[in-house]
Amino acid sequence: MLKIYNTLTKQKEEFKPIDPPNVSMYVCGPTVYDFFHIGNARSFISSDIIRKYLEYKGYNVKFVMNLTDVDDKIIKKSIEEKTGTEQVAEKYIGAFFQDIGKLTVAKADIYPKATGHMQDIIDMIKELEQKGFAYNVDGNVFYDVAKFKGYGKLSGKKIDELEAGARIEKNEEKKNPLDFSLWKKAKEGEPYWDSPWGKGRPGWHIECSVMSSKHLGKTFDIHAGGNDLIFPHHENEIAQSEAANEQPFVKYWLHFGFLNIDNTKMSKSLGNFFTARDILTKYSAEAIRLFFAQAYYRGPLNFNDELLAAAEKGLEKLGNLTDTINQELSKNITEGVTPELDIKQFEDKIIAAMDDDFNTAQAIAVIFDFTKEVNRIIAKSASGGENINAEFYKNVKAFLERTAVGIFGIMNFNADDNLSGAGIDVEHIQQMIDKRLEAKNEKNYALADKIREELKELGVELKDSKEGTTFKVVK
Ligand code: AMP
Ligand code: ZN
């Protein structure tokens, strides 16, 4: 039974989707004004793992992630880059897709953009106005927070506490400092759309209320985002959607902990950030995903190079097993034995861990235990035991594909893709390995070493063990 910690109720709850086996999930996506940083990547990768686990459990997940393509930061960037806001958004949407592709984050079913939903946004603001939750001051429309009884229920704060702590800029036009913009009157040189309140553009919060219900319904299952969005963004989304639609907005609210640097949130505005594309030049996507998956998604996580290097090192064990499996399977041995291995027991442990509010760290530990056990079995066979047939490797691979690849993305069996991508011909390498073995048998070590060197120049590293010689592609 899957339990999820719900920010709204502040407890772990049994996951009961509204319309099983369908699950509707919305994650706040990037504001497309720059390359995303590795802190943002934590939200994208964590939500990807959660989605993939739900799919693994047999749910049919409809996954929506918005792209915020009208925003102050985009306008600022367009001025800096002396180009239009559309061009800025287009450029960074392209970069976003490239980067999540490299991080093996599965694509959402829909990536709605604010600019593509202007009429829906205007309609929702009109609805809020008619119901008395919005007021217009000279072309600026605000949400009247005092009118919504449940305000503060997500962040767990009372309105007066919020008012006292609000670092929201004072604005003479607002009745209450907590009131927020639904529609912003256009300023000189800014992009605008026509509306019943004059030329302007929507506020950020209304975009998510509109796009989530448009694509997932007025009440949907899961809404996720980084911790920084609980207040005010998600609090405001609830206020807007529940006031307009008169029904609960979201069943389960999930929030991802910050990725910190020296215990301070990584963010663009503080300048303490690394872009995901920079980090990807130093570390593999698998290592970045492992680094995140080894921590609890809700908790804070500190970023530093040593931790990523450690994740990369940890992956070597998995990578070696991948190589062994691929090479054994290519031999397709039908004789021999299928050693006993209780795969189901390992899989049950992964499920138990993940069912407990997505305890990825524990699930990953099970994968490493499994790897250890498989290596033990292989070593036993190599040291005079019986030959292992392909059946065994097939079962091991299928399990790892369902879990390490399918849920976590920390393994990759498509060695051939990597190899051919790197311009490497597997058959040729196998021939060289055979030639080297022959040379070694004839005690011609000079030739054996020469072959090893030649392969190294091709970017292929050999590893000798009792089981024979395997190879891997090095960067
Ligand atoms: P943004 O592009 O700033 O709107 O953020 C996109 C997503 O990344 C949102 O879900 C944010 O909550 C999340 N996010 C931003 N900074 C961090 C961070 N340092 N750690 C984790 N998630 C973050
Ligand atoms: Zn949002």
Side-chain angles (χ1 to χ4, degrees):
M1 180 180 73
L2 172 61
K3 285 190 158 187
I4 302 183
Y5 183 93
N6 187 348
T7 313
L8 186 63
T9 57
K10 288 152 200 74
Q11 59 187 18
K12 274 188 207 170
E13 287 175 22
E14 186 185 342
F15 180 59
K16 287 189 195 149
I18 298 159
D19 175 31
N22 299 317
V23 170
S24 39
M25 181 167 179
Y26 185 92
V27 182
C28 291
T31 306
V32 282
Y33 71 105
D34 207 341
F35 301 114
F36 66 82
H37 60 66
I38 193 82
N40 303 131
R42 187 179 189 195
S43 287
F44 305 148
I45 290 174
S46 301
S47 54
D48 184 54
I49 292 176
I50 288 172
R51 170 209 193 159
K52 285 174 175 165
Y53 182 61
L54 293 169
E55 285 171 347
Y56 165 88
K57 282 187 83 78
Y59 290 115
N60 175 20
V61 182
K62 184 167 179 190
F63 188 97
V64 178
M65 180 177 274
N66 70 301
L67 302 172
T68 302
D69 64 346
V70 224
D71 180 86
D72 290 341
K73 293 175 205 147
I74 299 174
I75 295 171
K76 191 166 162 249
K77 189 80 171 205
S78 77
I79 296 165
E80 277 167 24
E81 294 197 347
K82 297 194 175 55
T83 172
T85 48
E86 273 168 48
Q87 282 73 24
V88 171
E90 221 161 78
K91 172 176 168 188
Y92 293 107
I93 287 173
F96 167 76
F97 285 126
Q98 274 177 352
D99 293 350
I100 60 159
K102 284 193 211 138
L103 290 168
T104 67
V105 169
K107 279 210 154 189
D109 295 291
I110 308 171
Y111 288 103
K113 295 180 201 160
T115 53
H117 292 73
M118 257 337 134
Q119 193 51 50
D120 299 306
I121 291 172
I122 290 169
D123 289 346
M124 188 163 187
I125 301 174
K126 278 201 316 217
E127 177 98 33
L128 286 168
E129 208 179 26
Q130 275 154 20
K131 290 185 170 161
F133 289 93
Y135 58 96
N136 172 13
V137 184
D138 186 28
N140 280 305
V141 184
F142 298 103
Y143 187 94
D144 195 343
V145 164
K147 292 269 166 64
F148 183 67
K149 286 197 187 63
Y151 200 78
K153 67 180 172 183
L154 182 70
S155 52
K157 290 180 177 147
K158 304 236 162 16
I159 288 196
D160 44 357
E161 282 169 19
L162 286 170
E163 275 173 24
R167 279 181 289 116
I168 297 161
E169 58 184 283
K170 287 261 175 301
N171 181 329
E172 297 302 310
E173 294 175 326
K174 291 189 203 174
K175 292 192 203 166
N176 179 318
L178 291 176
D179 292 352
F180 55 89
S181 292
L182 294 168
W183 189 261
K184 296 177 177 183
K185 186 178 175 169
K187 292 192 193 119
E188 184 63 35
E190 287 184 356
Y192 63 81
W193 286 261
D194 287 319
S195 82
W197 314 282
K199 293 183 188 341
R201 63 191 164 96
W204 171 39
H205 315 302
I206 194 78
E207 296 174 8
C208 280
S209 275
V210 166
M211 294 190 278
S212 58
S213 43
K214 168 109 184 174
H215 297 288
L216 297 173
K218 289 178 177 169
T219 304
F220 60 94
D221 293 308
I222 300 176
H223 194 317
N227 257 341
D228 53 337
L229 302 185
I230 297 176
F231 185 84
H233 186 52
H234 291 162
E235 194 72 69
N236 292 350
E237 280 187 42
I238 295 176
Q240 296 165 153
S241 296
E242 296 193 352
N245 301 331
E246 300 175 51
Q247 63 189 73
F249 178 40
V250 169
K251 261 192 110 173
Y252 304 92
W253 283 93
L254 263 75
H255 289 98
F256 308 117
F258 291 149
L259 183 71
N260 293 329
I261 289 198
D262 300 327
N263 301 313
T264 306
K265 182 196 164 198
M266 183 182 284
S267 77
K268 294 263 166 58
S269 50
L270 293 172
N272 62 344
F273 68 92
F274 299 104
T275 63
R277 52 176 58 200
D278 276 351
I279 299 295
L280 275 162
T281 62
K282 288 207 265 178
Y283 302 102
S284 63
E286 286 87 1
I288 296 169
R289 295 181 68 106
L290 177 64
F291 167 66
F292 289 134
Q294 279 175 324
Y296 181 38
Y297 76 92
R298 300 184 60 83
L301 177 63
N302 240 331
F303 174 87
N304 67 42
D305 260 299
E306 285 93 81
L307 291 170
L308 270 179
E312 197 79 80
K313 188 108 193 67
L315 282 177
E316 268 177 28
K317 290 188 201 116
L318 301 187
N320 289 341
L321 182 59
T322 315
D323 296 340
T324 307
I325 293 171
N326 277 341
Q327 284 162 51
E328 285 300 323
L329 283 175
S330 71
K331 294 184 203 157
N332 199 19
I333 298 173
T334 48
E335 311 95 66
V337 291
T338 313
E340 209 168 297
L341 174 63
D342 192 349
I343 291 183
K344 184 169 181 302
Q345 192 199 329
F346 285 96
E347 195 147 356
D348 285 347
K349 280 188 189 165
I350 291 181
I351 294 169
M354 291 298 281
D355 272 357
D356 182 16
D357 193 28
F358 310 107
N359 190 336
T360 49
Q362 203 171 311
I364 297 283
V366 177
I367 290 175
F368 277 94
D369 284 347
F370 177 81
T371 305
K372 223 184 276 169
E373 182 60 13
V374 171
N375 282 334
R376 194 189 60 76
I377 291 170
I378 297 173
K380 197 170 143 204
S381 147
S383 61
E386 290 176 278
N387 268 344
I388 299 175
N389 60 22
E391 186 63 22
F392 172 78
Y393 290 103
K394 267 188 212 154
N395 296 339
V396 168
K397 182 177 174 182
F399 165 74
L400 290 170
E401 282 202 316
R402 283 196 296 278
T403 55
V405 179
I407 303 172
F408 301 104
I410 56 169
M411 253 179 143
N412 177 10
F413 279 97
N414 289 330
D416 284 358
D417 285 358
N418 295 346
L419 295 170
S420 54
I424 290 165
D425 175 351
V426 185
E427 210 169 302
H428 173 65
I429 293 172
Q430 202 54 53
Q431 281 168 7
M432 305 252 303
I433 291 175
D434 293 345
K435 237 167 87 184
R436 178 170 164 267
L437 185 65
E438 223 168 87
K440 271 168 82 175
N441 287 341
E442 289 163 3
K443 302 211 165 14
N444 186 351
Y445 297 110
L447 178 60
D449 286 348
K450 194 169 158 259
I451 293 172
R452 177 192 278 275
E453 281 311 305
E454 275 174 19
L455 283 172
K456 201 162 181 190
E457 275 167 33
L458 286 176
V460 172
E461 204 173 83
L462 298 184
K463 189 168 163 266
D464 295 317
S465 70
K466 281 178 254 158
E467 301 103 66
T469 303
T470 55
F471 65 87
K472 70 174 180 184
V473 180
V474 286
K475 276 187 261 174

PDB file of all heavy atoms in Angstrom, residues 391-412:
ATOM      1  N   GLU A 391      19.604 -17.772 -19.299  1.00  0.00           N
ATOM      2  CA  GLU A 391      18.334 -17.598 -18.587  1.00  0.00           C
ATOM      3  C   GLU A 391      18.527 -16.746 -17.317  1.00  0.00           C
ATOM      4  O   GLU A 391      17.763 -15.824 -17.043  1.00  0.00           O
ATOM      5  CB  GLU A 391      17.794 -19.001 -18.220  1.00  0.00           C
ATOM      6  CG  GLU A 391      16.417 -19.023 -17.595  1.00  0.00           C
ATOM      7  CD  GLU A 391      15.328 -18.503 -18.523  1.00  0.00           C
ATOM      8  OE1 GLU A 391      15.542 -18.518 -19.755  1.00  0.00           O
ATOM      9  OE2 GLU A 391      14.292 -18.050 -18.010  1.00  0.00           O
ATOM     10  N   PHE A 392      19.580 -17.097 -16.582  1.00  0.00           N
ATOM     11  CA  PHE A 392      19.882 -16.377 -15.343  1.00  0.00           C
ATOM     12  C   PHE A 392      20.115 -14.889 -15.630  1.00  0.00           C
ATOM     13  O   PHE A 392      19.544 -14.016 -14.990  1.00  0.00           O
ATOM     14  CB  PHE A 392      21.127 -17.001 -14.694  1.00  0.00           C
ATOM     15  CG  PHE A 392      21.643 -16.233 -13.509  1.00  0.00           C
ATOM     16  CD1 PHE A 392      21.020 -16.329 -12.273  1.00  0.00           C
ATOM     17  CD2 PHE A 392      22.771 -15.414 -13.628  1.00  0.00           C
ATOM     18  CE1 PHE A 392      21.502 -15.630 -11.178  1.00  0.00           C
ATOM     19  CE2 PHE A 392      23.254 -14.708 -12.530  1.00  0.00           C
ATOM     20  CZ  PHE A 392      22.620 -14.818 -11.308  1.00  0.00           C
ATOM     21  N   TYR A 393      20.958 -14.617 -16.636  1.00  0.00           N
ATOM     22  CA  TYR A 393      21.272 -13.225 -16.953  1.00  0.00           C
ATOM     23  C   TYR A 393      20.049 -12.466 -17.458  1.00  0.00           C
ATOM     24  O   TYR A 393      19.879 -11.278 -17.205  1.00  0.00           O
ATOM     25  CB  TYR A 393      22.429 -13.153 -17.961  1.00  0.00           C
ATOM     26  CG  TYR A 393      23.736 -13.573 -17.331  1.00  0.00           C
ATOM     27  CD1 TYR A 393      24.285 -14.824 -17.582  1.00  0.00           C
ATOM     28  CD2 TYR A 393      24.394 -12.726 -16.450  1.00  0.00           C
ATOM     29  CE1 TYR A 393      25.473 -15.212 -16.985  1.00  0.00           C
ATOM     30  CE2 TYR A 393      25.580 -13.103 -15.842  1.00  0.00           C
ATOM     31  CZ  TYR A 393      26.121 -14.340 -16.109  1.00  0.00           C
ATOM     32  OH  TYR A 393      27.280 -14.719 -15.496  1.00  0.00           O
ATOM     33  N   LYS A 394      19.193 -13.190 -18.160  1.00  0.00           N
ATOM     34  CA  LYS A 394      17.958 -12.547 -18.652  1.00  0.00           C
ATOM     35  C   LYS A 394      17.091 -12.096 -17.485  1.00  0.00           C
ATOM     36  O   LYS A 394      16.547 -10.993 -17.488  1.00  0.00           O
ATOM     37  CB  LYS A 394      17.162 -13.542 -19.515  1.00  0.00           C
ATOM     38  CG  LYS A 394      17.468 -13.435 -20.975  1.00  0.00           C
ATOM     39  CD  LYS A 394      16.512 -14.309 -21.779  1.00  0.00           C
ATOM     40  CE  LYS A 394      17.237 -14.819 -22.996  1.00  0.00           C
ATOM     41  NZ  LYS A 394      16.710 -16.070 -23.511  1.00  0.00           N
ATOM     42  N   ASN A 395      16.961 -12.992 -16.492  1.00  0.00           N
ATOM     43  CA  ASN A 395      16.133 -12.651 -15.324  1.00  0.00           C
ATOM     44  C   ASN A 395      16.712 -11.480 -14.548  1.00  0.00           C
ATOM     45  O   ASN A 395      15.981 -10.585 -14.111  1.00  0.00           O
ATOM     46  CB  ASN A 395      16.009 -13.857 -14.381  1.00  0.00           C
ATOM     47  CG  ASN A 395      15.277 -14.999 -15.044  1.00  0.00           C
ATOM     48  OD1 ASN A 395      14.532 -14.807 -16.009  1.00  0.00           O
ATOM     49  ND2 ASN A 395      15.497 -16.218 -14.545  1.00  0.00           N
ATOM     50  N   VAL A 396      18.044 -11.500 -14.392  1.00  0.00           N
ATOM     51  CA  VAL A 396      18.713 -10.421 -13.662  1.00  0.00           C
ATOM     52  C   VAL A 396      18.520  -9.101 -14.404  1.00  0.00           C
ATOM     53  O   VAL A 396      18.157  -8.070 -13.830  1.00  0.00           O
ATOM     54  CB  VAL A 396      20.221 -10.737 -13.493  1.00  0.00           C
ATOM     55  CG1 VAL A 396      20.988  -9.516 -13.009  1.00  0.00           C
ATOM     56  CG2 VAL A 396      20.406 -11.900 -12.517  1.00  0.00           C
ATOM     57  N   LYS A 397      18.712  -9.161 -15.712  1.00  0.00           N
ATOM     58  CA  LYS A 397      18.579  -7.947 -16.522  1.00  0.00           C
ATOM     59  C   LYS A 397      17.136  -7.411 -16.474  1.00  0.00           C
ATOM     60  O   LYS A 397      16.927  -6.203 -16.321  1.00  0.00           O
ATOM     61  CB  LYS A 397      18.990  -8.234 -17.973  1.00  0.00           C
ATOM     62  CG  LYS A 397      18.911  -7.003 -18.849  1.00  0.00           C
ATOM     63  CD  LYS A 397      19.392  -7.266 -20.261  1.00  0.00           C
ATOM     64  CE  LYS A 397      19.155  -6.040 -21.121  1.00  0.00           C
ATOM     65  NZ  LYS A 397      19.537  -6.229 -22.509  1.00  0.00           N
ATOM     66  N   ALA A 398      16.171  -8.326 -16.581  1.00  0.00           N
ATOM     67  CA  ALA A 398      14.772  -7.880 -16.583  1.00  0.00           C
ATOM     68  C   ALA A 398      14.443  -7.168 -15.273  1.00  0.00           C
ATOM     69  O   ALA A 398      13.780  -6.117 -15.269  1.00  0.00           O
ATOM     70  CB  ALA A 398      13.844  -9.075 -16.793  1.00  0.00           C
ATOM     71  N   PHE A 399      14.931  -7.708 -14.153  1.00  0.00           N
ATOM     72  CA  PHE A 399      14.679  -7.071 -12.856  1.00  0.00           C
ATOM     73  C   PHE A 399      15.310  -5.678 -12.804  1.00  0.00           C
ATOM     74  O   PHE A 399      14.670  -4.704 -12.402  1.00  0.00           O
ATOM     75  CB  PHE A 399      15.244  -7.954 -11.732  1.00  0.00           C
ATOM     76  CG  PHE A 399      15.365  -7.251 -10.412  1.00  0.00           C
ATOM     77  CD1 PHE A 399      14.237  -6.977  -9.644  1.00  0.00           C
ATOM     78  CD2 PHE A 399      16.606  -6.856  -9.930  1.00  0.00           C
ATOM     79  CE1 PHE A 399      14.349  -6.313  -8.422  1.00  0.00           C
ATOM     80  CE2 PHE A 399      16.722  -6.193  -8.712  1.00  0.00           C
ATOM     81  CZ  PHE A 399      15.597  -5.920  -7.960  1.00  0.00           C
ATOM     82  N   LEU A 400      16.570  -5.600 -13.240  1.00  0.00           N
ATOM     83  CA  LEU A 400      17.264  -4.309 -13.194  1.00  0.00           C
ATOM     84  C   LEU A 400      16.630  -3.316 -14.163  1.00  0.00           C
ATOM     85  O   LEU A 400      16.586  -2.118 -13.894  1.00  0.00           O
ATOM     86  CB  LEU A 400      18.755  -4.496 -13.492  1.00  0.00           C
ATOM     87  CG  LEU A 400      19.532  -5.213 -12.383  1.00  0.00           C
ATOM     88  CD1 LEU A 400      20.933  -5.589 -12.855  1.00  0.00           C
ATOM     89  CD2 LEU A 400      19.624  -4.346 -11.119  1.00  0.00           C
ATOM     90  N   GLU A 401      16.126  -3.821 -15.262  1.00  0.00           N
ATOM     91  CA  GLU A 401      15.466  -2.902 -16.204  1.00  0.00           C
ATOM     92  C   GLU A 401      14.164  -2.354 -15.625  1.00  0.00           C
ATOM     93  O   GLU A 401      13.816  -1.204 -15.844  1.00  0.00           O
ATOM     94  CB  GLU A 401      15.218  -3.585 -17.545  1.00  0.00           C
ATOM     95  CG  GLU A 401      16.515  -3.640 -18.346  1.00  0.00           C
ATOM     96  CD  GLU A 401      16.319  -3.798 -19.824  1.00  0.00           C
ATOM     97  OE1 GLU A 401      15.459  -4.635 -20.195  1.00  0.00           O
ATOM     98  OE2 GLU A 401      17.025  -3.121 -20.591  1.00  0.00           O
ATOM     99  N   ARG A 402      13.460  -3.192 -14.883  1.00  0.00           N
ATOM    100  CA  ARG A 402      12.210  -2.716 -14.263  1.00  0.00           C
ATOM    101  C   ARG A 402      12.498  -1.681 -13.176  1.00  0.00           C
ATOM    102  O   ARG A 402      11.709  -0.762 -12.984  1.00  0.00           O
ATOM    103  CB  ARG A 402      11.489  -3.891 -13.570  1.00  0.00           C
ATOM    104  CG  ARG A 402      10.754  -4.836 -14.472  1.00  0.00           C
ATOM    105  CD  ARG A 402       9.779  -5.702 -13.681  1.00  0.00           C
ATOM    106  NE  ARG A 402      10.395  -6.605 -12.723  1.00  0.00           N
ATOM    107  CZ  ARG A 402      10.928  -7.791 -13.019  1.00  0.00           C
ATOM    108  NH1 ARG A 402      10.924  -8.209 -14.272  1.00  0.00           N
ATOM    109  NH2 ARG A 402      11.459  -8.561 -12.083  1.00  0.00           N
ATOM    110  N   THR A 403      13.600  -1.865 -12.466  1.00  0.00           N
ATOM    111  CA  THR A 403      13.829  -1.042 -11.274  1.00  0.00           C
ATOM    112  C   THR A 403      14.942   0.007 -11.481  1.00  0.00           C
ATOM    113  O   THR A 403      14.643   1.191 -11.601  1.00  0.00           O
ATOM    114  CB  THR A 403      14.170  -1.947 -10.073  1.00  0.00           C
ATOM    115  OG1 THR A 403      15.287  -2.785 -10.418  1.00  0.00           O
ATOM    116  CG2 THR A 403      12.984  -2.818  -9.705  1.00  0.00           C
ATOM    117  N   ALA A 404      16.190  -0.461 -11.566  1.00  0.00           N
ATOM    118  CA  ALA A 404      17.321   0.482 -11.653  1.00  0.00           C
ATOM    119  C   ALA A 404      17.207   1.380 -12.887  1.00  0.00           C
ATOM    120  O   ALA A 404      17.532   2.568 -12.841  1.00  0.00           O
ATOM    121  CB  ALA A 404      18.645  -0.273 -11.674  1.00  0.00           C
ATOM    122  N   VAL A 405      16.733   0.818 -13.986  1.00  0.00           N
ATOM    123  CA  VAL A 405      16.564   1.621 -15.204  1.00  0.00           C
ATOM    124  C   VAL A 405      15.185   2.284 -15.191  1.00  0.00           C
ATOM    125  O   VAL A 405      15.064   3.498 -15.322  1.00  0.00           O
ATOM    126  CB  VAL A 405      16.688   0.739 -16.482  1.00  0.00           C
ATOM    127  CG1 VAL A 405      16.494   1.580 -17.739  1.00  0.00           C
ATOM    128  CG2 VAL A 405      18.018   0.005 -16.513  1.00  0.00           C
ATOM    129  N   GLY A 406      14.158   1.464 -15.017  1.00  0.00           N
ATOM    130  CA  GLY A 406      12.776   1.921 -15.226  1.00  0.00           C
ATOM    131  C   GLY A 406      12.295   2.944 -14.215  1.00  0.00           C
ATOM    132  O   GLY A 406      11.565   3.864 -14.567  1.00  0.00           O
ATOM    133  N   ILE A 407      12.695   2.789 -12.963  1.00  0.00           N
ATOM    134  CA  ILE A 407      12.218   3.735 -11.946  1.00  0.00           C
ATOM    135  C   ILE A 407      13.272   4.818 -11.690  1.00  0.00           C
ATOM    136  O   ILE A 407      12.965   6.004 -11.669  1.00  0.00           O
ATOM    137  CB  ILE A 407      11.905   3.025 -10.606  1.00  0.00           C
ATOM    138  CG1 ILE A 407      10.866   1.912 -10.810  1.00  0.00           C
ATOM    139  CG2 ILE A 407      11.389   4.038  -9.574  1.00  0.00           C
ATOM    140  CD1 ILE A 407      10.645   1.026  -9.582  1.00  0.00           C
ATOM    141  N   PHE A 408      14.523   4.387 -11.514  1.00  0.00           N
ATOM    142  CA  PHE A 408      15.523   5.346 -11.024  1.00  0.00           C
ATOM    143  C   PHE A 408      16.425   5.944 -12.107  1.00  0.00           C
ATOM    144  O   PHE A 408      16.991   7.007 -11.908  1.00  0.00           O
ATOM    145  CB  PHE A 408      16.400   4.678  -9.950  1.00  0.00           C
ATOM    146  CG  PHE A 408      15.576   4.186  -8.797  1.00  0.00           C
ATOM    147  CD1 PHE A 408      15.299   2.834  -8.641  1.00  0.00           C
ATOM    148  CD2 PHE A 408      15.030   5.081  -7.900  1.00  0.00           C
ATOM    149  CE1 PHE A 408      14.501   2.386  -7.589  1.00  0.00           C
ATOM    150  CE2 PHE A 408      14.236   4.640  -6.850  1.00  0.00           C
ATOM    151  CZ  PHE A 408      13.970   3.289  -6.701  1.00  0.00           C
ATOM    152  N   GLY A 409      16.576   5.237 -13.225  1.00  0.00           N
ATOM    153  CA  GLY A 409      17.441   5.761 -14.286  1.00  0.00           C
ATOM    154  C   GLY A 409      18.902   5.819 -13.877  1.00  0.00           C
ATOM    155  O   GLY A 409      19.621   6.741 -14.254  1.00  0.00           O
ATOM    156  N   ILE A 410      19.345   4.838 -13.075  1.00  0.00           N
ATOM    157  CA  ILE A 410      20.743   4.860 -12.638  1.00  0.00           C
ATOM    158  C   ILE A 410      21.575   3.791 -13.343  1.00  0.00           C
ATOM    159  O   ILE A 410      22.726   3.553 -13.000  1.00  0.00           O
ATOM    160  CB  ILE A 410      20.874   4.687 -11.104  1.00  0.00           C
ATOM    161  CG1 ILE A 410      20.187   3.396 -10.650  1.00  0.00           C
ATOM    162  CG2 ILE A 410      20.309   5.890 -10.368  1.00  0.00           C
ATOM    163  CD1 ILE A 410      20.507   3.027  -9.209  1.00  0.00           C
ATOM    164  N   MET A 411      20.968   3.106 -14.306  1.00  0.00           N
ATOM    165  CA  MET A 411      21.697   2.087 -15.070  1.00  0.00           C
ATOM    166  C   MET A 411      21.289   2.234 -16.521  1.00  0.00           C
ATOM    167  O   MET A 411      20.215   2.759 -16.802  1.00  0.00           O
ATOM    168  CB  MET A 411      21.259   0.697 -14.589  1.00  0.00           C
ATOM    169  CG  MET A 411      22.271  -0.027 -13.768  1.00  0.00           C
ATOM    170  SD  MET A 411      21.618  -1.613 -13.249  1.00  0.00           S
ATOM    171  CE  MET A 411      23.088  -2.582 -13.351  1.00  0.00           C
ATOM    172  N   ASN A 412      22.146   1.747 -17.395  1.00  0.00           N
ATOM    173  CA  ASN A 412      21.811   1.841 -18.815  1.00  0.00           C
ATOM    174  C   ASN A 412      22.350   0.607 -19.522  1.00  0.00           C
ATOM    175  O   ASN A 412      23.554   0.370 -19.544  1.00  0.00           O
ATOM    176  CB  ASN A 412      22.434   3.123 -19.383  1.00  0.00           C
ATOM    177  CG  ASN A 412      22.207   3.255 -20.856  1.00  0.00           C
ATOM    178  OD1 ASN A 412      21.439   2.499 -21.455  1.00  0.00           O
ATOM    179  ND2 ASN A 412      22.883   4.201 -21.471  1.00  0.00           N
TER     180      ASN A 412
END
